Structure formats: C-alpha cells, structure tokens
Amino acid sequence: MELRRNGTATLMDVARVAGVSRSTAARALGGYGAVSPELQAMVSAAAEALGYRSNALARSVSSGRSHTIGVVVSDIENPHFARAVRGMTDAAKAAGFDVILANTDENIDAERAAVQVFLDKRVDGLIVASTSRSDSGHLLDVVGMGRPLVLFDRRPDNVDSDWVGTDCYADAKTVMEYLISKGHRNIAFLSATTKTPEELEAGHPLPISTIADRVRAVRESARAAGVRYEFISDAMSPQKTHVIVASLLNRRDRPSAIIASYSKLALPAFQAIRAAGLTVPEDISLVCLDDADWMTVSCPEVHAISNPAYEMGMKAAEVLLGRIDGSGPEFKDHLLPATFTQRASVSDLAGVAVTPIA
C-alpha cells in the first residue's frame, strides 16, 4: 500500500500505519479522550513519518476545542497594544493555544465583523479592546452564547464579563494634582476624541471608557483646585496633532503644561514645540498618560504614566484560559497598577509670580 506524503496524508493513513482505529488516532492527535502512552507514541510516530498535518477545524468539531483565541484591538501600531498583544501571545503559547489577531482602527463595524469571523472559526474565547462603550450588542451576544470573553483596557457599558485594565481616572488625577502642586494654573489636555471641547465640557458621553475617565479626572481636579484647564480634541493623526499644538503655542494665553492622552500624541506634540523654537520644560511642560520608549531618550526625558501593558496582556490571556478550562478566576474585575514616572519635562512654577489670566 502506497501512502500519501508531504503533508497530504490523511488521518486514516496515520491510523493504518499505527495499527489503530481512526477514532483512536484522532484522540491521540487531538489531545482529548483516553489514550494509553504506548498508543500515543505509536500514533505520533506514524504522523511524523507521514508528514501528517491535522485539520484544526475538524479537530475542534470532534473535541469541542480549537485551542485558539481571538484578539481584537483598535490599533496594533500603538505601542501599548503591541506590548499587550505580545503578553497575550506569550501566555497563550505557554498553554498550547494560538492567537488570531484583528485590528479595527477604532471602527465599530470592523470590530463587529472581526468578532463574527472569530466565532465562525470556533475560537475558544475572545479578548476585545472595544472601540465603543454603548454599541456592544455583538459583545452581549458573545456573553449570551456562553463563549468566554475578556474586555481589555476599555470597559463597555452593560457587558457583564471579565475586564483587565488600569485605573485611568486615578492616573490622570495623579498627573493633574502633580502639575497643580508644581504651580501650573493653565493646563491643556490633548486627546484624539472627535468630541468638541464644548461637548466635552458639557459632559457628553465619550465613546471610549479610558478617555472618558481621563477627561473626568482633568475636569474635577482642575475645578477642585480652581485652575484653568481646556480640552484639545480631534488630534486624530501625527500631522493633525502637530498642527493643533502649533496653533496652541501661538496663542498669547498658551497653557503652561500639556497632558497628552496617548504616546502617539505626545511625540508630534513634542516635535511641534521644538519646531516652534520653544523648549520643554522651560517654555511649556509636557506629560503623557501613556509611556513609550522614546520618552527615556528624548531631551529632556518625558514624565509619563507607565502602564504595565505586557503584564495586562498576559493577565487577560490567563483569565481567558481560566474561563475556557473552567478553573476560574473568582472575580471579574482585574485591576493592574500603573506608575507615574517623573523625569525632566515639567517645570516647577510654585512660588513663581504669574500674570493672572482674565
């Protein structure tokens, strides 16, 4: 009997060479059911000799497991998500799982489509950094069908599932209180949200929970201290951020400090300050709520909230894997601590006389 080779051998071919039934070969190669060590070794040797490659979808139908998880993020070019995904894949690989990744570019339609594709592929669970707090019907469907789901970083409203993230409100409040303690009385918050400053000031619902928490912290801290603050929105690209910050710097009442919501905004803001012939922190201070490697080699180095992105990714995968195998965990909220790293990008204006702003 001539058997097919070079990856075209079938499961029946493996069973014949090993001298076992097709169902025994399937259990041995699929990692489910009871198979003796001797038979396991015989089947594995036959599969290797024939160059057999298993059909993952067929295996998932037989065993009920695909040993894959789906991960949906908004921007894989964002260093925060890139580090987190590395943590997820490392944890998944250690447990024998593969990761399928989808990038949505903050588009809710793309998110819905990605979730559906993953469900069609029979992934064992999903990790989703959702782009919307309120448009979450597709996530509610995942929960309703009993498929394990971990919400990453962002927390959609009314979705009862595991969540892994940091306390963005507390982190932004820490930065605001630090700037205020250093004598800053005119602070700008730079964000990529498309909401206008007037809408932000009026408390209109923001689509992403992390931004909403940061905006609330800036507003409440500033009002409690009686200092001036403003929201600078629509920084949707490096080029647009550069233009926005350049315009801000040209104002007579320019702020003494800028808080950038993300590292992708902090870099073009830093460049715009330099291009305007100004220096950090002598002319304007800069803080970011999301640390990045370049902030430790810039001149000066930049104050930032250091989020444990890799550890968050690992935690999200570990929680999901625990849900898949039914081992827990007991709680659904998994909060990881962030660190405010103070460097050299904030000037100390305390005790310095400043002209009141009308």
Side-chain angles (χ1 to χ4, degrees):
M1 176 179 62
E2 182 178 353
L3 298 177
R4 287 166 285 185
R5 299 179 185 277
N6 299 324
T8 62
T10 67
L11 181 62
M12 184 57 73
D13 293 333
V14 174
R16 287 171 181 165
V17 170
V20 299
S21 68
R22 186 181 184 280
S23 60
T24 297
R27 290 197 300 274
L29 294 174
Y32 61 93
V35 179
S36 70
E38 293 79 8
L39 288 181
Q40 178 74 57
M42 291 169 59
V43 172
S44 297
E48 183 176 354
L50 295 173
Y52 173 74
R53 301 184 66 181
S54 63
N55 184 315
L57 182 57
R59 186 172 70 246
S60 72
V61 172
S62 299
S63 67
R65 294 278 180 85
S66 66
H67 285 88
T68 59
I69 61 176
V71 174
V72 182
V73 297
S74 60
D75 183 5
I76 194 59
E77 291 185 344
N78 184 324
H80 174 74
F81 287 118
R83 290 193 298 269
V85 169
R86 179 56 189 266
M88 296 172 193
T89 56
D90 284 353
K93 182 179 179 181
F97 281 70
D98 293 320
V99 172
I100 309 174
L101 178 66
N103 189 76
T104 66
D105 290 322
E106 302 289 8
N107 184 299
I108 189 62
D109 291 331
E111 179 179 313
R112 278 194 292 265
V115 168
Q116 187 58 55
V117 167
F118 288 157
L119 292 176
D120 292 343
K121 288 184 177 293
R122 298 176 181 269
V123 297
D124 295 323
L126 295 98
I127 300 173
V128 179
S130 184
T131 194
S132 174
R133 291 171 59 192
S134 57
D135 194 343
S136 53
H138 55 298
L139 300 180
L140 292 172
D141 289 342
V142 173
V143 174
M145 67 190 298
R147 193 68 54 93
L149 169 68
V150 174
L151 305 170
F152 182 77
D153 200 38
R154 288 96 175 263
R155 191 200 294 264
D157 298 335
N158 304 317
V159 179
D160 184 19
S161 188
D162 286 290
W163 167 78
V164 174
T166 57
D167 192 337
C168 289
Y169 174 85
D171 295 338
K173 185 176 180 180
T174 294
V175 169
M176 280 293 293
E177 291 178 347
Y178 174 79
L179 289 173
I180 292 167
S181 74
K182 293 296 182 181
H184 291 270
R185 297 293 180 267
N186 186 7
I187 302 168
F189 177 69
L190 182 64
S191 171
T193 180
T194 56
K195 293 288 184 180
T196 66
E198 291 75 22
E199 289 175 317
L200 291 172
E201 190 57 49
H204 282 221
L206 286 160
I208 298 175
S209 64
T210 51
I211 297 178
D213 289 343
R214 289 164 175 166
V215 166
R216 183 165 56 91
V218 169
R219 177 188 295 113
E220 292 178 0
S221 298
R223 288 179 174 174
V227 302
R228 176 174 174 173
Y229 66 99
E230 61 180 309
F231 298 124
I232 310 296
S233 60
D234 207 29
M236 300 297 293
S237 68
Q239 296 77 14
K240 200 163 189 179
T241 302
H242 194 287
V243 171
I244 288 172
V245 174
S247 176
L248 181 69
L249 297 173
N250 281 329
R251 287 177 10 193
R252 180 176 174 274
D253 63 341
R254 72 170 182 243
S256 64
I258 294 175
I259 301 174
S261 187
Y262 298 105
S263 60
K264 289 184 69 174
L265 307 183
L267 181 56
F270 191 95
Q271 293 168 332
I273 294 169
R274 288 289 185 84
L278 303 176
T279 58
V280 176
E282 288 79 10
D283 295 305
I284 190 166
S285 295
L286 178 66
V287 184
C288 187
L289 300 181
D290 172 34
D291 205 358
D293 290 342
W294 69 266
M295 296 180 189
T296 65
V297 296
S298 58
C299 186
E301 296 182 358
V302 178
H303 282 55
I305 294 290
S306 300
N307 294 300
Y310 178 83
E311 291 77 8
M312 289 168 64
M314 286 201 73
K315 183 66 175 180
E318 289 167 356
V319 170
L320 184 66
L321 294 170
R323 295 298 181 198
I324 290 170
D325 67 22
S327 63
E330 180 181 356
F331 303 103
K332 289 189 174 182
D333 284 355
H334 311 278
L335 188 69
L336 277 69
T339 304
F340 181 32
T341 304
Q342 299 176 22
R343 296 179 178 130
S345 63
V346 174
S347 59
D348 189 350
L349 302 180
V352 177
V354 294
T355 303
I357 297 173

